[in-house]
Each structure stands twice: as C-alpha cells, then as structure tokens.
Amino acid sequence: MESFVDEFNDQEREKSGSPVIAVDGLSGAGKDTVASFVSERFGLRHISASDAFYEIAEERGLSETELSAQAGKEVDLEIDRRTLQKALSGACVIDSRIAAHVLGTYADLRIRVEADLEERARRIGERDDIDSPVPHVQTRDREDSRRYQQYYSIDTSDLSVYHLVLDNTDVGVEPQNRIIESAVENTVM
C-alpha cells in the first residue's frame, strides 16, 4: 500500500483497520457533510484534516488565523502526515481537500465531492457570513491548486484516483446520502 504523495512513502506503514474511506473536494463542496453521514451511518470515526491544523496551532500557541498566515509547505506536510497516521490507526472516514491523494491505496474507497462554483460560494457565504463569496472562493481554489501542484505535484483536476465522483450541485442531501450509502455498502462493507 502507498500514498499517492511521494513524501509519505518514506517509510513502511501498516493499516490497522478497515474500512478507511477518503472524502475530498474543493472548499464548500460538501466533504464534511458526506464524511459526517458516512461516520454516523456506518459507525466509523470521522477525522478531518482541519483537526490536525487546529492541533498544530494550539501546540505552537497560535490562533488559526496566525498559523494560516505563516503556513507553508512544512505546515501542509505536517497536517497531511498527521491525517495519514490517524487514518492508518483503524477504521475511519477522512475528509480533507486532498484526502484521496494523501491516503492513496490505504483508502478502501476514495470519494470526490464536487459542486459548481456558484453553489460552493453560496454555501461558504452562508456558513462563514461572507458577502459576495465568489471571488473569495475563486482565490481559495486557485491558491489551493497551486500549493498542491507545487508541494506534491497533484493535479486537482485529475479525477482518475477516485472510485466515485459525485457532483452535488443539484442533488439534495438525502439523494446524495443514498448514493454514498450504496457506494460504501457495495465496495467496503
């Protein structure tokens, strides 16, 4: 087994439980919604890469905003390394922007959640109380894609690493959950 990110193949790693399910996508696509559903429905631990970010901020005595302002490759690598380690410690569902790439073949199921720009911007605007969120989301998408390409040589538009790609732009949560439930039941449960 291996990660699709070369930096994480520097040592032998063993996975101690199955299933491990990776859920990723751009900001506002619904990663947390899908991962939370899978966690609840199948009784799996839900691990978010955001948790590792918050841990690092706390360890360094920084606010999330301060760590974000200082973050570079070293912080991204540490977040992804911690996420991978947690995933390998037992059955779970992981959500992050690049979970499928970080987990690689350690993930029994790799899901990409997508939604169009306007829908993701609407969700983020409502969640984070941002007026005119489209430019904010476009900048974030562009910066994330640049970082992942620069740091890991990941092309975020390449969907070939996924078992399932779900565009939920026009799909409600319940129909989405039925699709996800079927995919999990038919592949890893």
Side-chain angles (χ1 to χ4, degrees):
M1 294 186 171
E2 67 180 0
S3 172
F4 297 150
V5 175
D6 289 339
E7 285 85 348
F8 302 128
N9 291 321
D10 58 345
Q11 61 180 317
E12 284 292 316
R13 290 185 165 86
E14 301 236 352
K15 183 169 81 167
S16 51
S18 283
V20 171
I21 300 170
V23 179
D24 75 23
L26 297 172
S27 60
K31 299 175 296 294
D32 182 67
T33 300
V34 169
S36 293
F37 168 74
V38 170
S39 173
E40 185 176 309
R41 168 64 183 83
F42 295 100
L44 300 173
R45 282 180 309 137
H46 177 186
I47 300 166
S48 177
S50 299
D51 297 338
F53 178 83
Y54 300 137
E55 288 170 7
I56 293 168
E58 185 175 322
E59 289 166 8
R60 295 181 182 191
L62 300 171
S63 71
E64 289 88 14
T65 305
E66 291 168 330
L67 181 59
S68 234
Q70 304 178 0
K73 183 174 183 176
E74 173 260 329
V75 172
D76 273 14
L77 280 168
E78 184 59 24
I79 289 167
D80 295 329
R81 186 172 284 110
R82 289 181 187 202
T83 301
L84 175 60
Q85 284 306 117
K86 288 178 183 181
L88 298 180
S89 69
C92 62
V93 56
I94 302 279
D95 80 80
S96 84
R97 297 221 178 91
I98 56 171
H101 295 274
V102 170
L103 295 174
T105 59
Y106 293 110
D108 300 296
L109 178 61
R110 295 182 298 275
I111 301 170
R112 169 74 173 210
V113 185
E114 297 191 329
D116 69 24
L117 173 64
E118 289 75 21
E119 178 61 18
R120 291 184 304 108
R122 183 191 66 73
R123 293 171 185 172
I124 290 169
E126 287 178 7
R127 181 188 71 203
D128 298 343
D129 196 28
I130 298 171
D131 292 328
S132 305
V134 170
H136 168 81
V137 174
Q138 287 174 313
T139 300
R140 189 172 187 178
D141 289 349
R142 191 171 41 253
E143 177 58 20
D144 286 348
S145 292
R146 181 201 60 77
R147 277 192 1 258
Y148 302 142
Q149 178 64 45
Q150 180 183 354
Y151 295 173
Y152 303 130
S153 299
I154 292 173
D155 175 1
T156 56
S157 66
D158 177 10
L159 303 178
S160 66
V161 302
Y162 302 98
H163 298 107
L164 173 65
V165 176
L166 176 62
D167 184 331
N168 64 21
T169 302
D170 298 315
V171 177
V173 172
E174 289 306 315
Q176 172 183 269
N177 287 350
R178 286 193 300 275
I179 293 166
I180 296 295
E181 181 178 41
S182 177
V184 171
E185 288 175 340
N186 290 312
T187 57
V188 297
M189 297 309 263

Coordinates of all heavy atoms in Angstrom, one line a residue, residues 10-11 17 49 94 106 116 141 188:
D10 N 8.1 7.5 2.5 CA 9.5 7.4 3.1 C 9.7 6.3 4.1 O 10.8 6.1 4.5 CB 9.9 8.8 3.6 CG 8.9 9.2 4.8 OD1 7.8 8.7 4.9 OD2 9.3 10.2 5.5
Q11 N 8.6 5.7 4.5 CA 8.7 4.6 5.5 C 7.6 3.6 5.3 O 6.6 4.0 4.7 CB 8.7 5.2 6.9 CG 7.4 5.9 7.2 CD 7.4 6.4 8.6 OE1 7.8 5.8 9.6 NE2 7.0 7.7 8.8
G17 N -6.9 -1.2 10.4 CA -8.3 -1.5 10.3 C -8.9 -1.1 9.0 O -8.4 -0.3 8.3
A49 N -8.9 16.8 8.3 CA -7.6 17.4 8.3 C -7.6 18.7 9.1 O -6.6 19.1 9.6 CB -7.2 17.6 6.9
I94 N -12.2 9.9 6.4 CA -11.3 11.1 6.5 C -11.8 12.1 5.5 O -12.1 11.8 4.4 CB -9.9 10.8 6.1 CG1 -9.3 9.7 6.9 CG2 -9.0 12.0 6.0 CD1 -8.7 10.1 8.2
Y106 N -4.1 3.2 0.7 CA -4.5 2.8 2.0 C -6.1 3.0 2.1 O -6.7 2.4 3.0 CB -3.9 3.7 3.1 CG -2.4 3.5 3.2 CD1 -1.5 4.5 2.7 CD2 -1.9 2.3 3.8 CE1 -0.1 4.3 2.9 CE2 -0.5 2.1 3.9 CZ 0.4 3.1 3.4 OH 1.7 2.9 3.6
D116 N -20.7 23.1 -8.3 CA -20.2 24.2 -9.2 C -19.8 25.4 -8.3 O -20.2 25.5 -7.1 CB -21.1 24.6 -10.3 CG -22.4 25.2 -9.8 OD1 -22.5 25.8 -8.7 OD2 -23.4 25.1 -10.6
D141 N -9.6 28.5 -4.3 CA -9.4 27.4 -5.2 C -8.1 27.5 -6.0 O -7.4 26.5 -6.1 CB -10.6 27.3 -6.2 CG -11.9 26.9 -5.7 OD1 -12.0 26.4 -4.5 OD2 -12.9 27.0 -6.4
V188 N -17.0 -1.5 0.4 CA -16.2 -1.8 1.5 C -16.9 -2.4 2.7 O -16.2 -2.7 3.7 CB -15.5 -0.5 2.0 CG1 -14.5 0.0 0.9 CG2 -16.5 0.6 2.4

